[in-house]
Amino acid sequence: MADTSFMEKLVALCRRRGFIFQSSEIYGGIGGFWDYGPLGVELKRNIKDAWWHDHVTNPPLGPDGDEIQMVGLDCSIIMNPKVWEASGHATGFADPMQTCRHCKKLFRADQVKPQLQDAEWYKELCGLWAPGDHAPINALRRWAEKRGPRMAPGLALVRDTDAVLQAIGQVRVDSGGRDPQAERFFSHYIFGADGEHFASDACPNCGGDLTEPRMFNLMFESHAGAVQSDDNKVYLRPETAQGIFANFKNVLDTSRVKIPFGIAQVGKAFRNEINPRNFTFRSREFEQMEIEFFCREEDAMDWYQFWRHQRYNWYVNLGLKSDKLRLRDQGKEELAHYSKACADIEYLFPFSDEHQELEGCAHRGNFDLTQHAQHSGKDLSYFDDEAWQRDAAKFADNKDAAKAAKEKPPYRFLPTVIEPSAGADRAALAFLCEAYTEDSKPDAKGVMQTRVYMRFHPRLAPIKAAFFPLVNKEGMPDLAYQLYRDAKQHMNVFYDDGGSIGRRYARMDEAGTPFCVTIDGDTIKPDGENAGTVTIRDRDTLEQVRVRTGDVVGWLRARVGSGQAP
RNA sequence: GCGGGUGUAGCUCAGUGGUAGAGCGUCACGUUGCCAACGUGAAUGUCGUGGGUUCAAGUCCCAUCACCCGCUCCA
């Protein structure tokens, strides 16, 4: 069950604590665009840094136990428009849509006919007469009065039976099969808003008439150069992946990578969503973390399996431990025509009853490189020199055969691509939802108090630790500040001496800070059991341990991760 | 894009055509002895925006924008 009140509380906390603001808020906002505040930017940076670190700087071991080869890339957002012709976005991202005037449902124009043929009311109506008959006025009237109102309340025949039947009565239905004659009959004389004007299509849901198809182009357009014309029209990229494919040859020629290897990119992408919704989930400007992993076709299924597990585990290890996260293999009917397999990593967000996609791991075959090779006219094939050197001796005595063999697999080929493509903002939203926790328990006066805290993985937490003097006297603030300064060399930490200690803990709980270091009377004592130690309080368990002042930074670093290789 | 709902301080909300309010939070000072303590004081509003009706509009009317709920979507 979708929990909208949960979502409202989370959105309120994000706003209150400075995680996420609506873009351009002082001007009334703008739909589908969001700003990350001081805490949000740290969270998102930590997510992107963790991703980059775990896949590029320090990539995992592959199925064979060897480290995976990965390199990074940062492409421009605006590219030559031909890129989008080659990728299919120029056409595939521009779907004409139609709305039903009666029930207001929205349809992709190319889906109306197939859906119509599946509609029960349509099938019944088609079954009312045999080929070559005159229009079965009486049967139509009976149907319109009995079954029509329930099955197709929007149909003109149902809403305005007399007028439509009168129009139909003047028309002779010529001989011929039920299709296409019947289809034409229906489309011209039964689906209409009124007696004078008949629409050509009917709503598969209710039979009502549809608006003209309208284009929804999901790519943002701009112009390169001061003068706007069709000649210099450009697009903001709808995905970062195409920049990787377009640079495939450059990376190959300059980085000494050998197949199998991956190219990773983190960057903004833009989609002019019809209806942005659900906080930052469907934004018009968003950030992707994408890998294109190039391999031999015969190894591709193994790499596909590897990446889909790898990427799923990455989310689990960073805190999406609940059963809300799932790995779902797409059915055959969902796959793009060139794709052999695709798995979605999905999260059950509180705003929905259905799991929503965080990331897609797709086996794309060599579709993208093929497309770009064709459209650019450039050779994007890979030559496996190692394999050739191994086999060259076989062709030693036949130069022509050698030349021919070198141009074909297994020596020269277009690599197959496995694409783990993740949404950074969706990941951030999932981590925020998963982290949000409420505890209720009575306070000292017996009044129930709700504690709200963000249970981020320490690696993702915007602030790693806070430093408090228990009270502002006896040198505690100075010592706390000094420890804070020491820790700040290594991680993002926060100093606070305002308000009661409980309030300061609560503030850090909402920010998701995993550890609070408190300097108390024992810290400043020259001797005694706890002399020279501070308390470190755990955000989730509320437990405190005493740690020597000199060990605090090391203690924290061991637990929060520094973003560097462990 | 279409239908329904909402919009007043950072947050939650009151305000029934006549002076812009409360609680919480924030800030300052005092206090403080481990989980949103207390005292004193302070700052904070294009009442979403623009028009209209009216002597007078947060309140009535129109338009518009944003958000929420559906239709649709897939990083």
Side-chain angles (χ1 to χ4, degrees):
Chain A
M1 189 65 195
D3 186 350
T4 51
S5 74
F6 178 100
M7 220 43 217
E8 280 167 19
K9 284 189 285 191
L10 180 70
V11 172
L13 182 140
C14 285
R15 160 115 194 78
R16 186 169 73 242
R17 298 311 310 240
F19 281 98
I20 297 171
F21 308 121
Q22 195 184 7
S23 171
S24 333
E25 197 184 69
I26 60 168
Y27 290 103
I30 176 169
F33 299 92
W34 299 92
D35 296 341
Y36 287 80
L39 289 181
V41 68
E42 295 292 338
L43 173 67
K44 196 171 153 190
R45 281 181 63 91
N46 289 342
I47 291 169
K48 290 185 290 182
D49 286 351
W51 185 90
W52 191 264
H53 172 266
D54 294 346
H55 297 96
V56 183
T57 317
N58 180 33
L61 302 181
D64 55 5
D66 288 341
E67 185 186 286
I68 289 177
Q69 286 186 83
M70 292 284 289
V71 292
L73 197 61
D74 185 1
C75 306
S76 66
I77 285 169
I78 292 173
M79 304 174 74
N80 188 309
K82 287 176 186 162
V83 168
W84 310 113
E85 289 170 25
S87 70
H89 288 85
T91 50
F93 258 54
D95 292 325
M97 308 288 280
Q98 293 177 275
T99 318
C100 173
R101 294 187 206 275
H102 193 255
C103 72
K104 307 302 180 192
K105 254 182 172 288
L106 185 69
F107 297 92
R108 255 171 58 186
D110 60 328
Q111 305 233 326
V112 169
K113 274 225 156 56
Q115 287 189 32
L116 207 46
Q117 276 155 8
D118 283 344
E120 286 305 315
W121 67 264
Y122 184 86
K123 287 193 258 184
E124 275 195 21
L125 221 39
C126 285
L128 286 183
W129 81 83
D133 280 356
H134 280 71
I137 298 294
N138 291 335
L140 287 175
R141 182 181 295 281
R142 251 194 325 278
W143 187 90
E145 287 168 356
K146 291 232 166 96
R147 300 178 65 76
R150 187 169 43 84
M151 301 186 75
L155 197 65
L157 174 68
V158 174
R159 284 183 290 127
D160 201 0
T161 310
D162 287 340
V164 171
L165 286 179
Q166 196 183 348
I168 291 172
Q170 293 161 8
V171 177
R172 183 186 147 78
V173 180
D174 293 328
S175 60
R178 214 178 79 183
D179 289 318
Q181 285 292 347
E183 197 177 304
R184 198 186 310 154
F185 177 85
F186 277 110
S187 63
H188 289 308
Y189 297 107
I190 295 190
F191 312 143
D194 50 54
E196 297 164 357
H197 175 78
F198 298 113
S200 58
D201 281 320
C203 167
N205 181 50
C206 77
D209 58 2
L210 299 172
T211 59
E212 289 300 304
R214 282 183 304 251
M215 291 300 276
F216 288 83
N217 193 332
L218 263 50
M219 278 203 291
F220 279 96
E221 292 178 5
S222 189
H223 296 268
V227 180
Q228 298 198 357
S229 77
D230 280 353
D231 294 341
N232 62 6
K233 189 193 274 187
V234 292
Y235 302 96
L236 307 195
R237 66 182 177 200
E239 62 174 36
T240 60
Q242 298 305 324
I244 298 181
F245 295 125
N247 277 290
F248 174 71
K249 204 71 178 164
N250 285 339
V251 172
L252 213 52
D253 292 345
T254 55
S255 71
R256 305 183 64 204
V257 287
K258 293 175 196 161
I259 279 198
F261 71 96
I263 304 178
Q265 174 162 221
V266 175
K268 289 266 174 121
F270 303 82
R271 292 184 192 176
N272 208 349
E273 296 290 349
I274 298 167
N275 195 353
R277 215 38 92 73
N278 292 330
F279 202 24
T280 58
F281 183 80
R282 178 160 286 112
S283 298
R284 291 185 166 130
E285 174 176 343
F286 57 102
E287 204 154 14
Q288 293 185 302
M289 307 184 291
E290 292 199 294
I291 295 168
E292 305 301 331
F293 195 80
F294 301 92
C295 60
R296 287 183 170 276
E297 188 184 0
E298 54 268 36
D299 301 332
M301 274 325 260
D302 290 342
W303 282 111
Y304 165 71
Q305 291 297 339
F306 170 81
W307 279 112
R308 75 191 260 294
H309 284 114
Q310 186 71 31
R311 291 299 307 139
Y312 177 80
N313 290 335
W314 186 81
Y315 290 101
V316 174
N317 291 336
L318 281 176
L320 295 191
K321 294 178 193 303
S322 71
D323 54 8
K324 294 189 177 74
L325 186 72
R326 79 173 184 194
L327 181 58
R328 184 183 70 85
D329 290 306
Q330 285 194 6
K332 280 222 163 58
E333 71 288 352
E334 290 179 83
L335 298 176
H337 67 275
Y338 48 79
S339 179
K340 291 216 170 60
C342 186
D344 287 343
I345 298 169
E346 300 178 325
Y347 189 76
L348 187 60
F349 285 97
F351 55 72
S352 172
D353 293 332
E354 291 174 15
H355 287 72
Q356 305 279 340
E357 185 178 1
L358 294 180
E359 171 162 352
C361 287
H363 181 317
R364 297 181 62 83
N366 59 16
F367 175 78
D368 305 279
L369 290 177
T370 302
Q371 289 292 111
H372 285 296
Q374 274 176 10
H375 282 77
S376 69
K378 299 289 191 299
D379 178 14
L380 299 182
S381 65
Y382 177 85
F383 182 70
D384 188 338
D385 200 43
E386 278 182 355
W388 175 250
Q389 294 300 336
R390 208 160 44 232
D391 295 351
K394 294 183 197 167
F395 301 94
D397 50 357
N398 188 338
K399 276 194 171 171
D400 288 342
K403 200 174 173 190
K406 276 167 114 172
E407 296 308 311
K408 292 189 297 192
Y411 309 114
R412 182 176 290 282
F413 57 94
L414 274 185
T416 292
V417 169
I418 307 299
E419 178 191 78
S421 170
D425 306 86
R426 290 186 173 184
L429 185 57
F431 285 121
L432 281 164
C433 290
E434 183 92 356
Y436 185 94
T437 312
E438 286 181 358
D439 271 351
S440 282
K441 63 171 191 181
D443 64 7
K445 296 174 192 157
V447 182
M448 287 303 281
Q449 295 289 342
T450 302
R451 183 171 82 107
V452 174
Y453 60 110
M454 300 300 288
R455 197 152 36 176
F456 294 123
H457 188 286
R459 219 178 146 195
L460 300 183
I463 301 170
K464 307 303 184 187
F467 289 80
F468 306 147
L470 182 59
V471 288
N472 291 321
K473 57 186 186 187
E474 294 166 23
M476 291 182 212
D478 289 345
L479 186 49
Y481 194 75
Q482 191 187 321
L483 282 172
Y484 153 81
R485 289 291 304 160
D486 290 347
K488 206 164 180 66
Q489 313 292 314
H490 304 281
M491 62 189 80
N492 193 28
V493 291
F494 191 78
Y495 175 84
D496 191 1
D497 59 12
S500 70
I501 189 75
R503 180 187 298 276
R504 282 177 270 165
Y505 283 142
R507 284 197 278 245
M508 284 298 110
D509 285 342
E510 279 197 341
T513 305
F515 303 109
C516 291
V517 179
T518 301
I519 283 69
D520 63 12
D522 286 343
T523 317
I524 52 177
K525 274 186 194 160
D527 52 299
E529 188 192 347
N530 291 327
T533 64
V534 300
T535 63
I536 303 183
R537 173 253 200 194
D538 184 283
R539 175 195 64 205
D540 303 335
T541 64
L542 304 182
E543 284 167 6
Q544 293 183 344
V545 294
R546 295 208 74 101
V547 175
R548 300 200 61 77
T549 52
D551 299 337
V552 169
V553 172
W555 190 98
L556 290 172
R557 289 184 72 185
R559 284 162 180 79
V560 302
S562 57
Q564 303 303 310

